[in-house]
Amino acid sequence: NQHTGTNGYSDIGYNWLIAPDGVLYEGRYNSSVSNVTGAHFCGTNGGTMGVCMLGDYTNITVTPAARNTLAQLLAWKACERTIDPLAVSYHASSNRTINNISGHRDGCATQCPGNTFYPDLPGVRMDVANIMNGTSPVGSVEGLEEFSITPNPFTQ
């Protein structure tokens, strides 16, 4: 409601949303564009994918199910776009050099993704890299079988 009613967006600003139980929801969608631009990075959305971790991670931690879904999703997208999850890149629309997997606060004046989850992003980056090279400690996430990457790493 805030995104469409208050902000006037045509859809929710995030490309994906992940519930605490690990369920993945598709957000902003356009059937004719596989990488539709979101509205989640303070007006500098080009070259980004927005994932909303549903919940408030100011004082509570992200559930293992949600974190695992995030790692699987990011590994799928990183393979699809040939993105190194451990690297940094220049992000032209924000004029910043940021981690390829960053938090909302890396581009906006916000506390998101929360003080309990933000310090865990290096671990998420490593999990994504491990999934991509076939040494994942994450394991499978029920319902995400369609995100299996074969052959691993996938390069096309």
Side-chain angles (χ1 to χ4, degrees):
N1 187 41
Q2 179 185 357
H3 285 201
T4 58
T6 304
N7 295 351
Y9 303 162
S10 61
D11 198 350
I12 192 165
Y14 300 99
N15 302 98
W16 303 95
L17 301 96
I18 299 174
D21 62 1
V23 172
L24 176 67
Y25 296 96
E26 182 176 36
R28 185 169 279 215
Y29 175 76
N30 181 327
S31 62
S32 65
V33 180
S34 65
N35 291 300
V36 65
T37 301
H40 53 271
F41 207 55
C42 296
T44 58
N45 300 292
T48 68
M49 178 180 83
V51 180
C52 176
M53 301 297 286
L54 297 172
D56 180 347
Y57 301 105
T58 303
N59 297 309
I60 63 169
T61 57
V62 171
T63 64
R67 191 179 182 287
N68 290 344
T69 299
L70 177 64
Q72 294 285 335
L73 173 67
L74 296 176
W76 164 70
K77 184 54 80 169
C79 282
E80 178 188 70
R81 307 291 290 186
T82 316
I83 296 169
D84 180 350
L86 302 177
V88 298
S89 298
Y90 176 70
H91 182 246
S93 60
S94 69
N95 197 32
R96 296 174 187 226
T97 299
I98 57 174
N99 288 300
N100 288 342
I101 296 176
S102 292
H104 195 177
R105 68 173 69 176
D106 294 320
C108 302
T110 179
Q111 290 301 306
C112 183
N115 290 335
T116 61
F117 187 46
Y118 187 77
D120 197 30
L121 288 181
V124 171
R125 292 181 198 111
M126 186 57 67
D127 285 350
V128 171
N130 289 338
I131 291 168
M132 292 172 71
N133 70 27
T135 60
S136 173
V138 173
S140 64
V141 178
E142 186 175 336
L144 287 184
E145 291 81 13
E146 67 272 18
F147 284 106
S148 66
I149 302 165
T150 305
N152 197 342
F154 185 73
T155 59
Q156 295 177 333

